Amino acid sequence: MEGISERETLIDQIFELFDSGEQAVVYLNENGLKGNAYLLEDLERLCTALADAIKQLSPGIRLQNKLEEIGKNAPSTVAWVRQTLDRGTVEEAEMRYGCSFVPLFLFWRRYAEVFLIVAADEESMRSWQQAEAEHLREVRLRPKEDTHQAARYDFSIVVLFYGNRGITQECLDAIHAHTIGRSYELITVDNGSDPETAAWCESLPHKKKIRYPYNMGSSAAGNLIFTMAPLYMEGKYLLYVSNDVIVTPGYAESLYQCLESDPRIAVAVPLCNSASNLQAIPVPYQKNDLSAMLDFAKGYNRCDPTKWEDRARLFSILAAYRPEALQQMYLAVDPLFCYDMFADDDHSCALRRMGWRQVLCRDVFVHHYGSATIGESQFAVMDLGREQFYSKHGVDAWNSLGTDLIQGIDGLSFSALESVRVLALNPLFGESALALCGRLKMCGCKRIIMDALTEDERYLPDMEALFGQAGLLCDEKQVLGKACYDIVVVASGLERCRDMRGVLRIAAARLKQGGLLITQHRNLFQMETLSAFLMGGEPVHDVFLHDPAESPTLQVVLDKPLVSFLQSQGLALHHELTIRNDGWRPAADRLAAALGRKADTVDTLVRSGKFSLWVKRPREK
């Protein structure tokens, strides 16, 4: 008990120091640095004492964190401010104080609260996460309106970098060359670069240079930017740019017009050549041939609102943000994701549940070198971040996206209609349902109303934010009343339905005459899984966490019984697309040969799924 008492006493002292530091920050904000250099000396000593005290507690902190790195940066940063003031350059000292030290100190306090108090035990964590969930729900109910606050610039462009002077210089040169027609201020954030790179950045002409001598990792530094940028930015929108991105002619206009088009849009992101999450497109130029890349981008970039696509999750290698959304995310930007993986997933989850739109601008392209900062080390921490997401949200970040139908939806064509009513069943995080909306929009549909039902209550916070009416499948009549729909989409694979027949009965019953049902089922006996099973090994792909709430965990959907059942519900098969993975063919050939089976067995093994479109037939008189 004595150890616990000492720990609690030290934690109390730590936050008393944070209180004193915040009082000094408030005083300096109101009275300026000139004539108050003694307070900077006090803050430097205070930060050193805080870092030492937190370091004493580090062995007892049960979760990985960046407290040590932040603790090293705080006294170094305030010393940098003080030294600048001592040289008599007051304006530069004020900038370094307001852009570098104050955001870091306020962020440090919140970060320390999370790891010293919130994450101390499971009960505290659950309580904190419940408070966060309530915050997200409360924000979702607020109207999303433009504040119409006067801004000095259209954009505050923030470039985060760690070393890589050459690639960072290319990034900055491209910003200056291609941010045409929109005013901006440039803000660089040096996340622990070597002294030569730091000195180079200091020699650049822009005013706002944020520098931290100790690297905090890209996720912690990104969280610091997203939570604190509204304190020092003077642009209407924040444009966050990784240093391994080369912007292109016209990029800023599309992103700006997208944010201007709807106050509910929190973030707009362009396409690129190299990214996961369906944010990349094939390109005709050779890798990193910037001259050919610019020629391609000049022909590609044309502002076209029909190519703005709502998404459930976006990765922010380059992203234009609405500051109001970032300010509301303050509680939701989670320090737990401090090792470069799944912070984006958590950010998108928070924005989604607060009712903000996230838009992929398919009308604008930028070049991404890829892995210029974190490189191959990302894979070493991937499982950690994925487990943290599962622990926090109760579902797997990847398997919950609901991207099952996207490949089939991309090829659909619809007649242009003034208004379309859509019902999404089991949409999970909603990616396929949103892709269907985007496809309808591209086909000329002017007004799309989408409701949703789920068998799994864990996805209700996402659905309530994304769709008009949303609820549990078992409450179908109370949620939807007598509504009928032009399109019903089972937005996750049929094999993931707990009660597939029940889901399909509701789908058929809710369709208008002549309406369309969209389904997909995939071959869960994938080549890797089947081969591993037959050879007595463990599957190595597409298997991560057993999710006890997903039952059954394995369900086989056979074509003939599915067709027969849907015909009994008054539906006729209109179109189907067989999805194959030819990468499995060599293994399938070997397996079929070993089993003495014919070539048609190979075709079955390489089939990874079937996308189907059904039409509701007129009732017989």
Side-chain angles (χ1 to χ4, degrees), residues 248 250-252 254-255 269-272 300-301 361-366:
T248 55
Y251 86 101
S254 286
L255 298 176
V269 172
L271 290 170
C272 66
Y300 188 94
N301 292 355
C361 294
R362 291 190 170 276
D363 59 339
V364 60
F365 172 87
V366 299

Side-chain angles (χ1 to χ4, degrees), residues 350-361:
L351 287 171
R352 187 169 64 243
R353 294 181 177 187
M354 288 192 293
W356 289 102
R357 292 176 60 194
Q358 303 172 77
V359 178
L360 179 66
C361 294

Side-chain angles (χ1 to χ4, degrees), residues 174-372:
I175 288 171
H176 292 313
H178 303 309
T179 313
I180 306 298
R182 290 293 158 195
S183 59
Y184 69 95
E185 62 171 343
L186 177 64
I187 305 170
T188 52
V189 182
D190 182 347
N191 187 22
S193 295
D194 57 272
E196 292 78 11
T197 302
W200 160 77
C201 186
E202 284 300 302
S203 71
L204 297 177
H206 66 285
K207 291 184 178 180
K208 292 183 180 177
K209 305 179 185 78
I210 298 171
R211 178 167 66 88
Y212 300 115
Y214 299 93
N215 181 265
M216 297 179 282
S218 62
S219 289
N223 282 349
L224 172 57
I225 292 169
F226 294 137
T227 54
M228 296 299 169
L231 292 178
Y232 53 78
M233 60 179 283
E234 297 178 83
K236 184 173 185 180
Y237 300 120
L238 170 70
L239 187 60
Y240 173 81
V241 183
S242 296
N243 69 316
D244 57 353
V245 168
I246 305 298
V247 300
T248 55
Y251 86 101
E253 188 62 27
S254 286
L255 298 176
Y256 185 85
Q257 292 300 338
C258 181
L259 288 171
E260 288 282 289
S261 70
D262 186 349
R264 297 174 298 159
I265 297 175
V267 58
V269 172
L271 290 170
C272 66
N273 58 300
S274 173
S276 58
N277 196 42
L278 302 175
Q279 292 177 216
I281 57 172
V283 293
Y285 60 89
Q286 295 298 312
K287 183 178 181 181
N288 300 336
D289 182 346
L290 296 188
S291 177
M293 181 276 293
L294 285 174
D295 288 340
F296 168 72
K298 287 174 184 176
Y300 188 94
N301 292 355
R302 296 288 186 274
C303 188
D304 183 356
T306 65
K307 295 181 180 179
W308 297 342
E309 178 184 289
D310 280 75
R311 296 290 298 272
R313 174 185 74 170
L314 286 173
F315 289 163
S316 54
I317 55 171
L318 184 152
Y321 280 95
R322 190 178 301 274
E324 294 89 339
L326 293 176
Q327 290 171 314
Q328 290 175 348
M329 280 181 69
Y330 179 76
L331 180 65
V333 176
D334 196 331
L336 296 180
F337 299 93
C338 63
Y339 277 88
D340 305 320
M341 287 292 153
F342 292 89
D344 286 300
D345 296 80
D346 192 57
H347 291 183
S348 283
C349 189
L351 287 171
R352 187 169 64 243
R353 294 181 177 187
M354 288 192 293
W356 289 102
R357 292 176 60 194
Q358 303 172 77
V359 178
L360 179 66
C361 294
R362 291 190 170 276
D363 59 339
V364 60
F365 172 87
V366 299
H367 180 76
H368 181 218
Y369 279 113
S371 300

Side-chain angles (χ1 to χ4, degrees), residues 299-553:
Y300 188 94
N301 292 355
R302 296 288 186 274
C303 188
D304 183 356
T306 65
K307 295 181 180 179
W308 297 342
E309 178 184 289
D310 280 75
R311 296 290 298 272
R313 174 185 74 170
L314 286 173
F315 289 163
S316 54
I317 55 171
L318 184 152
Y321 280 95
R322 190 178 301 274
E324 294 89 339
L326 293 176
Q327 290 171 314
Q328 290 175 348
M329 280 181 69
Y330 179 76
L331 180 65
V333 176
D334 196 331
L336 296 180
F337 299 93
C338 63
Y339 277 88
D340 305 320
M341 287 292 153
F342 292 89
D344 286 300
D345 296 80
D346 192 57
H347 291 183
S348 283
C349 189
L351 287 171
R352 187 169 64 243
R353 294 181 177 187
M354 288 192 293
W356 289 102
R357 292 176 60 194
Q358 303 172 77
V359 178
L360 179 66
C361 294
R362 291 190 170 276
D363 59 339
V364 60
F365 172 87
V366 299
H367 180 76
H368 181 218
Y369 279 113
S371 300
T373 301
I374 58 176
E376 295 300 319
S377 64
Q378 60 183 313
F379 300 106
V381 295
M382 188 175 290
D383 285 351
L384 171 63
R386 199 169 177 183
E387 287 183 22
Q388 287 175 331
F389 189 96
Y390 191 95
S391 175
K392 178 179 179 180
H393 297 287
V395 293
D396 180 57
W398 286 347
N399 291 334
S400 294
L401 278 173
T403 58
D404 306 46
L405 281 73
I406 285 180
Q407 183 175 353
I409 286 171
D410 281 347
L412 288 181
S413 181
F414 298 94
S415 300
L417 299 172
E418 191 65 29
S419 179
V420 180
R421 290 186 66 93
V422 181
L423 175 62
L425 302 177
N426 286 339
L428 307 180
F429 282 167
E431 205 69 275
S432 286
L434 292 175
L436 177 58
C437 284
R439 192 65 190 167
L440 287 164
K441 181 180 173 183
M442 288 191 69
C443 291
C445 298
K446 304 297 184 186
R447 183 168 177 260
I448 303 167
I449 301 169
M450 181 173 282
D451 299 328
L453 298 172
T454 181
E455 294 176 285
D456 192 337
E457 65 181 3
R458 295 176 299 173
Y459 297 102
L460 282 176
D462 306 278
M463 292 166 51
E464 289 168 349
L466 287 174
F467 307 116
Q469 302 296 322
L472 294 173
L473 211 82
C474 59
D475 297 329
E476 167 219 356
K477 293 180 180 178
Q478 297 95 307
V479 176
L480 302 181
K482 297 181 179 181
C484 289
Y485 297 86
D486 303 289
I487 300 172
V488 176
V489 54
V490 184
S492 60
L494 289 176
E495 73 282 344
R496 299 184 68 175
C497 296
R498 298 179 184 178
D499 177 12
M500 184 174 65
R501 290 176 181 268
V503 170
L504 292 175
R505 284 194 187 97
I506 289 175
R510 289 286 173 175
L511 269 177
K512 295 178 181 177
Q513 182 177 310
L516 298 176
L517 168 64
I518 301 173
T519 67
Q520 182 168 307
H521 57 279
R522 68 187 181 106
N523 175 19
L524 284 174
F525 291 110
Q526 296 177 5
M527 274 307 307
E528 295 99 327
T529 305
L530 185 58
S531 297
F533 171 74
L534 291 174
M535 296 176 185
E538 291 290 330
V540 294
H541 297 297
D542 201 36
V543 175
F544 174 64
L545 293 171
H546 170 65
D547 186 347
E550 283 200 15
S551 177
T553 56

